[in-house]
């Protein structure tokens, strides 16, 4: 049970997200399918909060001492992700967001994708659907990689 709780909590952490939670779960000996489902749910829980509140919070904190540097970094990361998505996607923004979140590369998870969607003023429902599908895709990729790596090690 502790393995799955750790998986759930790790999947909500920015940058690490589901991409780190699934390998951690498999490494701890958790069953892949339940770990995948728990990581997907955990990764999606912050999404509505990020969409509606993260940009406002980051703008508010960007000029504050101590936290300002980190907040500015996060805001720049989201804005850069949004610009990159918009430049490459044009009208195919939904698919671009899905692939941005779904291809497990550093800095391209649900947190950054949702912040980018918020900055681009995308429709909430469409952006959440794109992020959900992207998280599912990233989870499948990470599950396959993790299962293969840990099977090879064992």
């Amino acid at each position: 049970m502790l393995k799955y709780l750790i998986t759930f909590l790790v999947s909500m952490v920015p940058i690490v997200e589901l991409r780190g939670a699934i390998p951690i779960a498999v490494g701890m000996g958790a069953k892949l399918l339940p770990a995948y489902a728990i990581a997907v749910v955990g990764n999606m829980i912050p999404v509505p909060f990020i969409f509606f509140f993260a940009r406002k919070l980051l703008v508010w904190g960007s000029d504050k001492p101590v936290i300002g540097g980190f907040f500015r970094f996060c805001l720049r990361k989201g804005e850069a992700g949004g610009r990159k998505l918009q430049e490459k996607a044009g009208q195919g923004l939904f698919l671009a967001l899905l692939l941005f979140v779904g291809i497990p590369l550093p800095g391209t998870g649900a947190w950054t994708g949702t912040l980018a969607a918020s900055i681009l003023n995308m429709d909430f429902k469409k952006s959440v659907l794109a992020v959900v599908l992207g998280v599912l895709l990233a989870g499948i990729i990470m599950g396959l990689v993790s299962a293969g790596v840990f099977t090879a090690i064992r």
Side-chain angles (χ1 to χ4, degrees), residues 61-69:
S62 65
D63 64 348
K64 305 294 185 268
V66 182
I67 61 171

Side-chain angles (χ1 to χ4, degrees), residues 4-144:
Y4 297 110
L5 177 60
I6 291 169
T7 302
F8 179 74
L9 294 174
V10 168
S11 69
M12 288 193 279
V13 175
I15 301 169
V16 180
E17 301 184 37
L18 167 137
R19 294 155 165 70
I22 290 176
I24 289 169
V26 173
M28 290 186 301
K31 294 184 186 241
L32 182 57
L33 288 179
Y36 170 81
I38 289 167
V40 167
V41 170
N43 202 181
M44 291 306 300
I45 285 177
V47 166
F49 300 101
I50 296 164
F51 189 89
F52 290 114
F53 303 115
R55 184 175 185 196
K56 292 174 185 165
L57 179 67
L58 293 172
V59 168
W60 169 84
S62 65
D63 64 348
K64 305 294 185 268
V66 182
I67 61 171
F70 176 71
F71 280 42
R72 284 189 301 276
F73 167 79
C74 293
L75 196 55
R76 281 193 306 269
K77 186 82 172 152
E79 288 171 347
R83 279 193 307 275
K84 191 175 182 180
L85 275 175
Q86 201 159 35
E87 288 169 7
K88 290 185 175 185
Q91 296 296 339
L93 200 52
F94 177 87
L95 182 59
L97 180 60
L98 186 156
L99 293 174
F100 180 82
V101 173
I103 298 172
L105 297 171
T108 63
W111 280 75
T112 307
T114 303
L115 182 57
S118 173
I119 288 169
L120 292 172
N121 295 315
M122 284 183 69
D123 175 70
F124 175 71
K125 289 179 184 176
K126 285 184 181 179
S127 60
V128 168
L129 180 59
V131 170
V132 167
L133 294 172
V135 165
L136 292 170
L137 175 61
I140 290 168
I141 293 168
M142 292 310 300
L144 292 171

